[in-house]
Amino acid sequence: MNVQYCTRCVVSNQRPRITFDKDGVCSACRFAYEKHHVIDWTERERQLHDLLDRHRSKDGSYDCVVPGSGGKDSSYVAYMLKYKYGMHPLTVTWAPHIYTDIGWRNYLAFKDSGFDNLLAFPNGRLHRRLSRLAFELWGDHFKIFGLGQKAYGFHIAVKFGIPLVFYGESGEVEYGGSTKNKEKPCESVEDWSELYYQGSSLSELLKHGRTSGLVSEEELQNERFLFYWHPPLDDLKKIGAEMHWFSYYKKWVPQENYYCAVEHTGFQANPDGRSEGTYSKYASLDDRTDGFHYYLGYIKFGLGRTTSDAAHEIRDGHLTREEGVALVHRYDGEFPQKYYQEFLEYLDISDGEFWEVVNHYRSLTPHLWENRGGEWVLKHRVK
Ligand SMILES: [Zn+2]
């Protein structure tokens, strides 16, 4: 109930699972300090060589799966694995809800720069309804995308018998969350189930779908919803699946990833300028609907897209805290107007229904919001 801002960056204690120490510094800032000053990256590089030597194929067959969109981060990981470390990645992409023009161009440029890629679209009719259910039930339509994004790579790993799956960064460690894995190179499947599925499982969503009539009994019987679930643990164990974070082995600096992707995989920043809700032009560009994921985060936690971008850049030394605070005041919580109509049509909801959900979440957070003369304002802002 007491809102506290980090004394080093711009994030607050409202971010789920983040912790603050006695000096008022958040766990992500503490980790960033270790990243820039303590961790022995030469030793980590040695560990990476060991891991890759164990997995590298001799006949050119795939030896790792790299999930990603063709955005700057996954492009960087795939590029490094293939061209710096001589691996043979199979890259896999779980399509966004609705591609942006720049997201699609970056995706094409990425595979054209030299990567085999599998692109998966889920059943569009169902995916829209599941997105709507996720929006109603959890105030975040994006969670349904996240389930597939995480699971799809593992299905492909099982199918092709490729044990090594490489994700980019550990979001929990890098951006503030559970730090229990910060000394670990990989996440166990059990960790994954615990963090991502607790309280937000697909079965809960489908139950809600059945009650609300958005998913029929027939669909529940006939559809498998396969890619939203991780493959059976036994199948993963059989191939010896290991999920590693590239950020454990190489210092993770998104701005550097961006430069790498521009130079080597044809990545372009958004030619239309900054994304709504932030000052950034190169992060999270693929999906026309993702502004609403950030906007709902702003409603639920008082932390919007600018906060998350600025916090990270402050930790990496690209922004001062003062600059970050100014950017938050200027852009955080800006409504994603550009694709609003399209978002409503995609979820098949009205303007009124959209605000009903927003106001429901606002009503759950009276310690964050107050209504001043008909206008909702945050009670606390970073200073
Ligand atoms: Zn911090």
Side-chain angles (χ1 to χ4, degrees):
M1 295 306 276
N2 293 319
V3 180
Q4 181 189 358
Y5 285 92
C6 175
T7 52
R8 294 218 179 143
C9 71
V10 286
V11 86
S12 79
N13 60 352
Q14 301 298 298
R15 189 183 160 93
R17 298 185 293 278
I18 204 165
T19 52
F20 279 60
D21 66 16
K22 59 176 174 25
D23 301 320
V25 178
C26 78
S27 46
C29 282
R30 284 295 177 209
F31 175 73
Y33 181 83
E34 287 179 36
K35 185 167 95 173
H36 289 287
H37 303 284
V38 181
I39 293 172
D40 179 351
W41 292 106
T42 313
E43 165 55 19
R44 294 280 173 96
E45 176 88 17
R46 195 192 58 69
Q47 293 178 32
L48 179 61
H49 277 285
D50 281 355
L51 173 77
L52 298 180
D53 288 347
R54 263 197 299 122
H55 286 275
R56 191 177 295 103
S57 78
K58 304 217 165 27
D59 60 359
S61 55
Y62 302 126
D63 45 27
C64 57
V65 173
V66 180
S69 62
K72 66 182 180 6
D73 295 333
S74 54
S75 299
Y76 157 75
V77 173
Y79 173 81
M80 293 292 277
L81 285 171
K82 180 163 179 176
Y83 291 104
K84 180 165 183 200
Y85 297 103
M87 299 296 285
H88 309 85
L90 174 57
T91 68
V92 299
T93 302
W94 177 249
H97 293 90
I98 313 172
Y99 262 111
T100 59
D101 295 344
I102 184 67
W104 181 243
R105 282 209 302 276
N106 280 332
Y107 166 73
L108 295 178
F110 168 71
K111 58 101 183 150
D112 287 344
S113 74
F115 295 92
D116 285 353
N117 175 273
L118 298 174
L119 170 60
F121 284 94
N123 174 334
R125 206 159 58 96
L126 279 176
H127 196 62
R128 284 174 63 174
R129 278 185 273 151
L130 294 177
S131 302
R132 171 172 166 175
L133 289 165
F135 179 69
E136 290 174 358
L137 193 62
W138 302 321
D140 187 4
H141 75 293
F142 226 66
K143 274 196 182 174
I144 197 69
F145 166 82
L147 293 181
Q149 185 193 33
K150 191 91 192 192
Y152 178 60
F154 287 93
H155 283 282
I156 297 305
V158 167
K159 208 78 185 161
F160 283 81
I162 308 168
L164 184 59
V165 179
F166 247 112
Y167 276 88
E169 79 279 45
S170 162
E172 288 292 311
V173 173
E174 289 280 335
Y175 308 127
S178 161
T179 51
K180 71 174 190 172
N181 284 329
K182 90 185 159 121
E183 306 291 336
K184 284 201 232 156
C186 52
E187 186 178 46
S188 72
V189 178
E190 287 79 10
D191 278 342
W192 170 34
S193 307
E194 186 190 320
L195 268 179
Y196 292 89
Y197 285 78
Q198 220 172 38
S200 55
S201 70
L202 184 67
S203 19
E204 190 190 347
L205 197 69
L206 291 174
K207 204 168 121 200
H208 176 61
R210 189 68 198 91
T211 321
S212 67
L214 274 175
V215 180
S216 70
E217 192 56 46
E218 198 187 347
E219 282 166 332
L220 284 179
Q221 297 297 328
N222 293 333
E223 302 283 350
R224 289 189 64 206
F225 304 94
L226 179 71
F227 292 133
Y228 301 104
W229 304 97
H230 59 68
L233 294 188
D234 282 350
D235 290 359
L236 288 167
K237 283 178 184 152
K238 215 178 286 166
I239 63 158
E242 299 179 38
M243 197 228 78
H244 289 251
W245 294 292
F246 203 68
S247 63
Y248 171 83
Y249 299 101
K250 304 286 282 183
K251 198 201 288 185
W252 189 258
V253 183
Q255 201 175 85
E256 300 294 325
N257 301 352
Y258 166 67
Y259 294 137
C260 175
V262 167
E263 193 178 341
H264 299 292
T265 68
F267 182 81
Q268 285 186 318
N270 197 344
D272 301 335
R274 66 180 183 85
S275 305
E276 286 172 302
T278 185
Y279 59 94
S280 160
K281 294 178 199 167
Y282 62 58
S284 195
L285 299 181
D286 319 316
D287 195 321
R288 294 186 190 201
T289 71
D290 71 357
F292 299 93
H293 160 70
Y294 291 105
Y295 186 73
L296 266 292
Y298 178 69
I299 300 297
K300 289 190 260 187
F301 311 115
L303 305 168
R305 190 167 183 167
T306 307
T307 298
S308 119
D309 289 339
H312 209 272
E313 293 201 6
I314 293 168
R315 292 175 200 134
D316 284 339
H318 303 312
L319 284 181
T320 64
R321 188 173 186 280
E322 203 182 357
E323 287 165 333
V325 169
L327 287 166
V328 169
H329 288 183
R330 182 152 182 200
Y331 296 120
D332 219 25
E334 179 186 29
F335 188 74
Q337 191 58 46
K338 189 172 172 189
Y339 297 120
Y340 181 47
Q341 209 49 45
E342 214 166 334
F343 181 68
L344 295 180
E345 282 162 24
Y346 184 81
L347 294 192
D348 192 22
I349 58 173
S350 66
D351 175 61
E353 285 166 323
F354 174 84
W355 288 106
E356 212 173 286
V357 171
V358 170
N359 288 329
H360 167 69
Y361 281 97
R362 214 163 353 219
S363 73
L364 295 179
T365 48
H367 62 300
L368 295 180
W369 292 99
E370 66 184 345
N371 196 311
R372 280 193 210 143
E375 200 193 337
W376 285 104
V377 288
L378 280 174
K379 285 182 178 170
H380 311 273
R381 302 207 71 185
V382 63
K383 285 197 273 275

